[in-house]
Amino acid sequence: MKRVISLILALIMALSLVACGEKAPVDNEGESKIKDRLVIANGNMLSILDTHNNNDLWCGHVYSLVHSALVDIDFQTNEMKPELATEWSYDAPTMTYTFKLRDDVTFHNGEKFTADDVIYTFNRGMGFSFKQTKLKYIESMEKVDDTTLKITLNSPAAEFLESLNDMWILNQKAIEADAEAGPMVGTGAYVFSMDNFKPDESVVVTRNENYWGELPKSKEIEYKKITEASARVIGLQTGEIDVCLEVPAIEASNIADYEGVELVQQPSSKLLYMAMNMGEKGPDFFKDERVRKALNYATNRDDIIIAMTEGYASPSQGCIAPSMFGHDPDVATYEYDLEKAKSLLKEAGYDENNKLRIEFIYKGGVMAGFYEILQAQWALANVDLVLVSDDSTKTVEITNSKAYHIYQTQWNWSTTCNGLDSLWNSTAGNNRTLTNNAELDAMLADVCSEMDEAKRAEKIGAIGDWLSDYAAMVPLYIDTLLTGVGSNVEGLTLNFNQNHVFTYAYVTE
Amino acid sequence: MHRYILKRIAMLLLVMLGVSLLIFFIMDLAPGDQALMILGEAATEEELNALREELGLFDPFFVRYGRYMWGFLQGDLGYSHKYLSDVLPLYLERLGATVVLALASALFAHILSIPMGIYAALHQGKVSDNIVSALAIVGLAAPNFWVGLLLIILFSLKLGMFHSGGFVTLSDVVLPAITVGTANMALLTRTTRSGMIDVLRSDYLMLARAKGVSEKMVVRKHALKNALIPIITVSGIQFSAMMGGAVTTEAVFSFPGIGTLLVGAIKSKDTVCVTGCLILTSLLVSVTLLAVDILYAYVDPRIKAQYSK
Amino acid sequence: MENTNVKTNTVSAQKKYKKRTPMGEVWHRLRKNKGAMVGGAFVLLLVFLALFRDVIYDYDTQIVMQDLSKRFIHPCLEHPFGTDNLGRDLFARVVYGTGSSLPVGVVAVMVALVLGLPLGAIAGFFGGKIDDVIMRIMDIFAAVPGILMAIAMVAVLGTGTIGLMISIGVTAVPAFARITRASVLSVRNQEFVEAARAIGCTNLDIIFKHVIPNCLSPIVVQVSLRIGNSIITASSMSYLGLGVTPPMPEWGNLLSAGRTYIKDYSYLTMFPGLVIMLTVIAFNLLGDGLRDAMDPKLKK
């Protein structure tokens, strides 16, 4: 009898070992003292494989490992750098860019990279609302030869070149062969494979030995999802993780005091805000300017900063991140003024007997707990804030229906004009206020095509004032980025807009 | 005996059919749009309708269910849109982790609770008996995720003995196993204790004692074996319950078990994944329970005699 | 009830100095069990707090009102459990949270009872095909792991107290059906059932007036144990973000909210955790005591 039991147990054990055997870490003592694998942990991870179908920052982290674009921006110096395009020129009268492309690049599937791939990618991207904002300036594309491409614009576009930095070049054959994973076939330094992709868990990319650029030192990079923030930090402290993104503010001192790990603090361009739905399916009360302004007055940003970030943030100044080009420090802002909020709401017909009921949605994650704080603040102004969704899945559904009331989210500003256009243009995928205002659209088109820097700054300032007065957005604060990094990590570039460059990061033993 | 087993297997198939229908139905009732989950928030109505058409979401409930089950019976468990993988390999991969966790937690729970139960039974009514019972209840009463977090802080951060999460090496299973095992200990201890008390009072042990068998031998040779039956029942139920994963514990330790897989799938309305995994889970649960029943028959001839009637 | 009355009468005839109803007898034995009395007293206290929470505290000013100047005050006389990240008194929130957690546990078990008891009784009483059909359906529900079933149900019913209660309740139905069935099986062939049938009672009458009252004791015990269990499940659901929504305090979501601060301000998780633990222990002690008191044969 005992034998039977032990046999069964042994069998189960053996089976389960087989099942998890492949997870053993890769050991390789050869070469130098560089660890094979760099491990990055975050509360979120790659969730969508189609680079065109989102502007998601976390997805972007993996995209930028796997893909290359025509040009790159060095966000440390704000300089444009060649990537797949070695050089480019712009002819102002004909509004035409001419790109000279690299000749020595192959995709991960073995296809050679040519001008056709660029044309295919841009044409495909125009079908997606997230990329359309950047690509709408393209009038026509012409392949001169495999390594020469001419792109003619339909109007001057001040930030056209900059906006190409995350327009990763895809391969038509790869996408036709596999609609799902095809967009993850790139020309980048690391190779993506479905076998190493476990949604909601982790993704491992392996070094592309045929990479056209300098070969990175890490053989593999793992991007892991650890939802529990304190567990993520502990993982960093115990050395299981090399880079811990989105460190909760409460843990900052724990990391700073811990040996072997460092806390990187940097001011960012990440603006957290709430968007009131101004669209057709939005609630009627937001059409009343007094309500929108009242909510701006009713928001105590200083308290929110303390409660949400332990002070690791700076108050917003208008709807544009203060560090951005053209931001006007004198832009009109709403200081906390409860009485004013109350009287505006009263004028609009809401008071303690007739409270304004607003439904609130957000995607969960770092802003957990925010709802509670805001609800208490707005309750003082006779607003009844009701949580409808704090779950990313449900929120996707509600945002798609365009019938929400108020949506909390964030925007990492990279370039001003593109940011403004992405958040406010009536056709933009990230336009969460669903604003459809002809006057604003015209101003945006105007500023985006303004090639003169001084004039552009002036126009940006004017839009900033217009947006403050419009008040459909409640800007909250600018996050201070907190990143935990192991002391043995080298080559990591952390950028203010969270477009971090992991490609050349490695861990020494 | 064989007829009994055959009857049980027939019942099991019936129950699984019921489970599939129930789950498919619940997932169908749940709000949420599968097509939207696949295409993302920017999807237009035309794109969504095209995909819904392709996935057959416009068909009536029973047509969809029938189509799913037809595929299932042919070994095609379908494709999970949430995890971008066929359901079967996905399930099997997670099952490995889940089985390891189930075994490890059972090991931990048994190693502690059987001696504790015996000890309490032998010292029945004394202070030490009460202390053991109290300890066991504390394990049961403490919320899992809380215990898990405390364990991470103590063993991972302060002592640096184990990883804080994930499942890369076998030692990663230790903390989750303790967490789950702690919760399971209470019932096991209690069952062992009461089982032992029952047996220790029985006439045949009185006889054994009267014949001069030492108390040690009474406990080891006679009592424990007879007290095993209720323990096997409880172990079986606990082990089978673990086949569905330990949802909260997995969440705390980022442990890639079946629990988190299913929670993610339920939340994103991945009906195919949820139904497939739950049918397989309930199959495993039922098979484990059946195995326990058969095991009884071997341990206890009285039960075997009953079945044979 | 006729039968039981006869019994008591005979008992009182023999021992005139001990005149007790059956319930009195149970109470008498229960009173001797210290553990059960402590557990019971704690449960009573919780019930009291749950019923009168709005008398004790004002929700708007004492429960959800934030005061950032009072963040993270460690436990002291003024704030026995300390204050949380928004400067709210944790003691008040835990006490107020009793009124969220206890009802979830109790109502969930009631849901299970209302569905499981009749089903189990019918299955046990009639036997045969009816028994087979009902118990197979119960098997189907039991085959799906409880918390997963609850999560799926919450997806249908929506998060929030009501959805939580029903979801957790439904997962416990098979357990109640099985226990009821087993005890009905043990009494259905006894004389008093035959007697009732002989005087022309309908089946329903027999089940609800004669059979069920005579097999209540294991059910009462199960209710007591299950309430503790349901409170734990509810707190797990809150941890997964599927439970009672903040700022309404509930033990599970208090514990869950405190986990961010577990390293530096461990009291934020310690107290809600301890309260959940004590409550479950109390219900267990009470349940054990009831079992011993109601079924003296079991007590050795």
Side-chain angles (χ1 to χ4, degrees):
Chain A
M1 189 62 233
K2 268 183 201 159
R3 243 178 280 153
V4 177
I5 301 179
S6 50
L7 191 71
I8 295 171
L9 286 183
L11 259 176
I12 298 176
M13 196 63 124
L15 276 175
S16 51
L17 282 179
V18 170
C20 57
E22 62 192 348
K23 289 194 172 178
V26 191
D27 274 320
N28 194 343
E29 276 111 318
E31 298 190 25
S32 62
K33 286 183 208 151
I34 291 167
K35 274 197 193 166
D36 283 347
R37 182 179 282 193
L38 171 85
V39 184
I40 302 161
N42 195 357
N44 287 292
M45 65 172 282
L46 178 70
S47 54
I48 304 166
L49 297 183
D50 192 332
T51 57
H52 283 154
N53 200 15
N54 67 92
N55 275 329
D56 188 275
L57 193 60
W58 318 125
C59 291
H61 282 167
V62 179
Y63 296 159
S64 65
L65 288 170
V66 173
H67 290 287
S68 325
L70 285 187
V71 292
D72 191 19
I73 307 178
D74 183 339
F75 287 109
Q76 307 284 323
T77 58
N78 249 336
E79 269 170 36
M80 300 300 298
K81 292 194 305 187
E83 207 169 350
L84 290 177
T86 49
E87 54 190 78
W88 55 87
S89 60
Y90 180 61
D91 179 47
T94 57
M95 295 187 286
T96 302
Y97 276 99
T98 309
F99 291 94
K100 198 82 193 134
L101 307 179
R102 293 189 77 100
D103 192 24
D104 56 347
V105 179
T106 51
F107 283 93
H108 300 153
N109 63 353
E111 293 290 319
K112 190 167 164 32
F113 161 74
T114 66
D116 289 325
D117 296 303
V118 183
I119 294 173
Y120 168 74
T121 303
F122 290 0
N123 276 331
R124 184 175 185 275
M126 280 182 231
F128 291 81
S129 66
F130 291 106
K131 301 298 165 189
Q132 192 260 352
T133 324
K134 292 179 171 182
L135 296 173
K136 66 184 171 192
Y137 300 104
I138 297 178
E139 176 68 34
S140 64
M141 289 179 279
E142 186 200 340
K143 172 184 169 183
V144 178
D145 56 53
D146 270 1
T147 59
T148 316
L149 176 72
K150 274 189 196 292
I151 298 181
T152 309
L153 306 185
N154 49 26
S155 78
E159 292 170 354
F160 180 72
L161 209 53
E162 283 89 340
S163 71
L164 294 183
N165 100 93
D166 61 354
M167 207 57 65
W168 293 289
I169 305 303
L170 310 179
N171 180 259
Q172 184 168 12
K173 274 197 184 149
I175 291 173
E176 275 163 6
D178 182 352
E180 195 164 76
M184 289 304 279
V185 172
T187 52
Y190 286 88
V191 181
F192 170 87
S193 147
M194 281 299 270
D195 297 338
N196 296 328
F197 175 47
K198 307 213 161 62
D200 252 7
E201 200 182 313
S202 77
V203 57
V204 179
V205 289
T206 48
R207 187 165 66 191
N208 174 10
E209 302 298 337
N210 300 319
Y211 184 49
W212 54 267
E214 183 197 338
L215 214 55
K217 289 185 177 160
S218 295
K219 281 192 178 160
E220 299 174 323
I221 295 184
E222 178 175 15
Y223 198 101
K224 231 179 177 176
K225 175 176 174 176
I226 303 181
T227 323
E228 193 73 57
S230 45
R232 204 155 69 226
V233 172
I234 291 175
L236 176 75
Q237 290 168 330
T238 58
E240 297 155 59
I241 293 163
D242 304 307
V243 181
C244 172
L245 301 176
E246 298 279 292
V247 171
I250 194 85
E251 302 271 7
S253 57
N254 286 328
I255 295 187
D257 298 344
Y258 203 88
E259 208 169 307
V261 293
E262 277 155 30
L263 178 74
V264 181
Q265 258 190 66
Q266 57 191 146
S268 77
S269 62
K270 176 178 170 188
L271 172 69
L272 291 103
Y273 67 92
M274 283 180 294
M276 303 176 206
N277 185 346
M278 300 295 292
E280 283 165 23
K281 293 185 189 163
D284 286 335
F285 50 76
F286 283 148
K287 309 286 187 290
D288 186 336
E289 188 184 78
R290 290 169 297 192
V291 171
R292 305 199 300 266
K293 289 191 169 159
L295 294 179
N296 267 288
Y297 280 121
T299 310
N300 184 342
R301 294 174 178 77
D302 294 335
D303 275 8
I304 292 175
I305 289 177
I306 293 174
M308 290 306 298
T309 73
E310 305 295 316
Y312 286 100
S314 53
S316 61
Q317 295 171 29
C319 302
I320 303 172
S323 59
M324 298 315 296
F325 170 80
H327 175 263
D328 175 10
D330 299 325
V331 66
T333 53
Y334 295 87
E335 295 307 317
Y336 179 57
D337 189 340
L338 188 56
E339 289 315 310
K340 208 159 185 176
K342 271 188 188 166
S343 65
L344 278 169
L345 278 172
K346 203 171 176 81
E347 279 174 39
Y350 301 97
D351 55 25
E352 55 266 38
N353 301 317
N354 178 27
K355 293 192 174 180
L356 173 59
R357 185 181 176 282
I358 302 180
E359 294 172 359
F360 179 81
I361 60 168
Y362 78 110
K363 276 191 178 172
V366 280
M367 287 305 270
F370 172 68
Y371 157 72
E372 243 179 303
I373 299 165
L374 190 70
Q375 192 197 40
Q377 287 188 0
W378 285 8
L380 300 175
N382 301 321
V383 174
D384 194 4
L385 192 66
V386 186
L387 181 66
V388 177
S389 166
D390 57 354
D391 164 301
S392 53
T393 314
K394 205 158 147 197
T395 299
V396 165
E397 196 151 303
I398 301 173
T399 43
N400 175 271
S401 75
K402 300 192 189 316
Y404 53 90
H405 289 183
I406 200 160
Y407 181 32
Q408 192 284 313
T409 185
Q410 65 220 31
W411 182 255
N412 284 274
W413 290 79
S414 288
T415 52
T416 317
C417 291
N418 181 259
L420 283 171
D421 211 28
S422 301
L423 293 178
W424 296 101
N425 193 303
S426 54
T427 58
N430 285 88
N431 178 353
R432 302 298 183 194
T433 57
L434 300 173
T435 300
N436 187 353
N437 185 306
E439 187 191 346
L440 183 58
D441 277 356
M443 285 166 80
L444 290 170
D446 182 38
V447 75
C448 290
S449 57
E450 178 56 64
M451 303 300 276
D452 182 83
E453 282 210 357
K455 281 188 191 159
R456 194 156 81 231
E458 207 170 284
K459 286 177 178 171
I460 290 170
I463 291 181
D465 285 332
W466 193 94
L467 291 176
S468 282
D469 187 56
Y470 184 58
M473 176 187 272
V474 183
L476 297 169
Y477 57 86
I478 311 289
D479 233 356
T480 300
L481 290 187
L482 298 174
T483 312
V485 183
S487 306
N488 50 356
V489 175
E490 316 263 348
L492 178 68
T493 314
L494 298 172
N495 286 322
F496 70 93
N497 55 5
Q498 287 187 289
N499 286 318
H500 304 319
V501 183
F502 298 108
T503 313
Y504 292 106
Y506 61 93
V507 192
T508 53
E509 294 275 3
Chain B
M1 186 71 199
H2 290 294
R3 266 189 60 195
Y4 173 76
I5 295 177
L6 279 178
K7 195 181 156 200
R8 280 289 298 265
I9 291 175
M11 285 298 175
L12 197 154
L13 292 176
L14 206 64
V15 166
M16 275 171 52
L17 194 70
V19 168
S20 64
L21 189 61
L22 176 72
I23 296 304
F24 210 87
F25 182 63
I26 290 183
M27 290 301 290
D28 196 61
L29 280 184
D33 182 344
Q34 219 172 312
L36 185 59
M37 292 304 147
I38 298 167
L39 290 179
E41 61 180 31
T44 61
E45 200 53 37
E46 297 86 66
E47 290 169 333
L48 287 172
N49 278 333
L51 184 64
R52 284 178 197 136
E53 188 69 46
E54 193 189 321
L55 295 172
L57 294 178
F58 288 121
D59 294 334
F61 174 77
F62 279 103
V63 174
R64 275 178 291 134
Y65 173 71
R67 192 165 48 215
Y68 174 79
M69 282 314 283
W70 182 242
F72 187 94
L73 292 176
Q74 291 167 326
D76 172 19
L77 270 65
Y79 182 83
S80 160
H81 294 289
K82 160 85 179 166
Y83 295 101
L84 305 172
S85 157
D86 282 330
V87 173
L88 190 61
L90 187 69
Y91 177 80
L92 290 178
E93 192 199 319
R94 297 294 189 107
L95 182 66
T98 289
V99 168
V100 172
L101 177 58
L103 283 175
S105 66
L107 190 72
F108 173 80
H110 283 80
I111 283 179
L112 281 181
S113 51
I114 291 182
M116 269 164 65
I118 296 173
Y119 182 84
L122 294 177
H123 299 79
Q124 196 195 342
K126 294 192 185 138
V127 182
S128 47
D129 176 22
N130 288 332
I131 293 178
V132 168
S133 307
L135 270 181
I137 287 193
V138 166
L140 173 81
N144 252 341
F145 52 94
W146 184 49
V147 175
L149 283 171
L150 294 177
L151 287 175
I152 291 181
I153 290 185
L154 180 63
F155 288 102
S156 179
L157 184 67
K158 298 260 178 337
L159 301 176
M161 287 167 68
F162 298 104
H163 288 163
S164 60
F167 184 43
V168 179
T169 63
L170 212 52
S171 69
D172 291 344
V173 85
V174 173
L175 294 185
I178 295 177
T179 310
V180 178
T182 310
N184 288 345
M185 255 172 54
L187 198 55
L188 270 177
T189 310
R190 200 187 279 201
T191 315
T192 313
R193 177 180 173 271
S194 59
M196 282 298 283
I197 290 175
D198 280 348
V199 178
L200 284 172
R201 283 165 184 278
S202 61
D203 300 339
Y204 68 91
L205 282 193
M206 294 284 187
L207 180 71
R209 287 197 193 94
K211 274 162 61 185
V213 180
S214 76
E215 192 64 27
K216 245 186 197 167
M217 287 304 281
V218 167
V219 173
R220 272 194 207 158
K221 273 226 116 162
H222 303 276
L224 192 55
K225 197 179 169 197
N226 281 290
L228 263 183
I229 294 165
I231 300 178
I232 292 178
T233 316
V234 172
S235 312
I237 291 172
Q238 287 183 346
F239 192 82
S240 66
M242 280 292 302
M243 289 300 113
V247 177
T248 44
T249 309
E250 286 173 21
V252 174
F253 291 96
S254 317
F255 192 85
I258 286 172
T260 40
L261 176 85
L262 275 166
V263 173
I266 291 173
K267 279 188 169 179
S268 33
K269 204 176 158 79
D270 192 343
T271 309
V272 169
C273 180
V274 176
T275 314
C277 289
L278 278 179
I279 294 177
L280 293 174
T281 298
S282 67
L283 174 70
L284 263 181
V285 170
S286 312
V287 168
T288 319
L289 291 178
L290 179 60
V292 169
D293 274 6
I294 296 171
L295 209 59
Y296 275 161
Y298 283 101
V299 177
D300 191 341
R302 281 169 299 184
I303 295 177
K304 193 173 186 180
Q306 235 174 37
Y307 291 153
S308 307
K309 265 187 227 167
Chain C
M1 273 303 165
E2 228 164 307
N3 183 62
T4 30
N5 287 338
V6 173
K7 254 187 191 165
T8 13
N9 286 341
T10 14
V11 170
S12 53
Q14 285 161 354
K15 304 175 183 177
K16 282 200 173 137
Y17 51 93
K18 256 193 178 176
K19 197 172 181 178
R20 287 195 196 107
T21 61
M23 281 313 285
E25 185 63 32
V26 168
W27 169 240
H28 177 72
R29 282 196 291 257
L30 191 65
R31 235 171 44 187
K32 285 188 190 159
N33 184 332
K34 275 185 216 143
M37 289 317 287
V38 173
F42 192 74
V43 169
L44 276 182
L45 173 72
L46 293 178
V47 171
F48 175 81
L49 293 178
L51 287 177
F52 296 104
R53 65 173 183 177
D54 284 309
V55 179
I56 307 170
Y57 290 109
D58 178 53
Y59 181 76
D60 287 329
T61 58
Q62 286 171 294
I63 303 300
V64 293
M65 180 82 94
Q66 303 165 6
D67 180 355
L68 294 187
S69 64
K70 289 186 176 167
R71 306 179 74 208
F72 300 123
I73 298 175
H74 278 269
C76 58
L77 267 182
E78 199 190 338
H79 303 286
F81 289 180
T83 62
D84 67 6
N85 59 324
L86 301 176
R88 298 173 297 195
D89 182 46
L90 188 62
F91 182 77
R93 288 179 63 77
V94 169
V95 169
Y96 199 86
T98 314
S100 314
S101 297
L102 202 62
V104 170
V106 173
V107 175
V109 172
M110 289 307 132
V111 168
L113 195 64
V114 165
L115 295 172
L117 189 101
L119 285 173
I122 291 168
F125 186 79
F126 292 106
K129 286 239 166 64
I130 297 178
D131 182 20
D132 272 349
V133 170
I134 292 180
M135 292 324 285
R136 286 303 81 74
I137 294 176
M138 290 299 104
D139 283 352
I140 291 169
F141 277 85
V144 182
I147 191 153
L148 291 175
M149 183 73 167
I151 292 169
M153 294 279 296
V154 162
V156 176
L157 299 169
T159 46
T161 321
I162 304 290
L164 200 59
M165 288 168 173
I166 299 176
S167 309
I168 297 175
V170 167
T171 61
V173 170
F176 277 101
R178 275 186 195 154
I179 289 160
T180 312
R181 175 176 173 271
S183 42
V184 166
L185 278 181
S186 69
V187 299
R188 76 163 177 191
N189 290 329
Q190 284 182 15
E191 296 88 344
F192 66 88
V193 176
E194 272 161 40
R197 198 169 278 146
I199 58 167
C201 290
T202 62
N203 278 335
L204 272 183
D205 266 354
I206 298 176
I207 293 177
F208 287 99
K209 289 193 180 150
H210 300 278
V211 175
I212 290 183
N214 277 289
C215 44
L216 268 185
S217 72
I219 297 168
V220 169
V221 173
Q222 187 67 17
V223 164
S224 171
L225 297 176
R226 276 280 166 176
I227 290 177
N229 209 327
S230 301
I231 289 175
I232 294 233
T233 312
S235 74
S236 304
M237 301 278 281
S238 287
Y239 175 79
L240 298 170
L242 299 168
V244 179
T245 329
M248 171 59 80
E250 185 262 344
W251 296 339
N253 72 28
L254 289 177
L255 189 47
S256 172
R259 72 184 196 267
T260 323
Y261 309 102
I262 193 163
K263 276 187 232 157
D264 300 302
Y265 308 102
S266 56
Y267 61 86
L268 285 177
T269 42
M270 203 56 79
F271 289 111
L274 282 176
V275 170
I276 293 178
M277 238 166 84
L278 287 178
T279 306
V280 178
I281 291 174
F283 275 107
N284 270 279
L285 289 174
L286 184 64
D288 286 351
L290 281 173
R291 169 170 29 220
D292 293 347
M294 286 178 138
D295 200 346
K297 277 170 290 173
L298 275 175
K299 188 163 185 168
K300 288 171 186 159

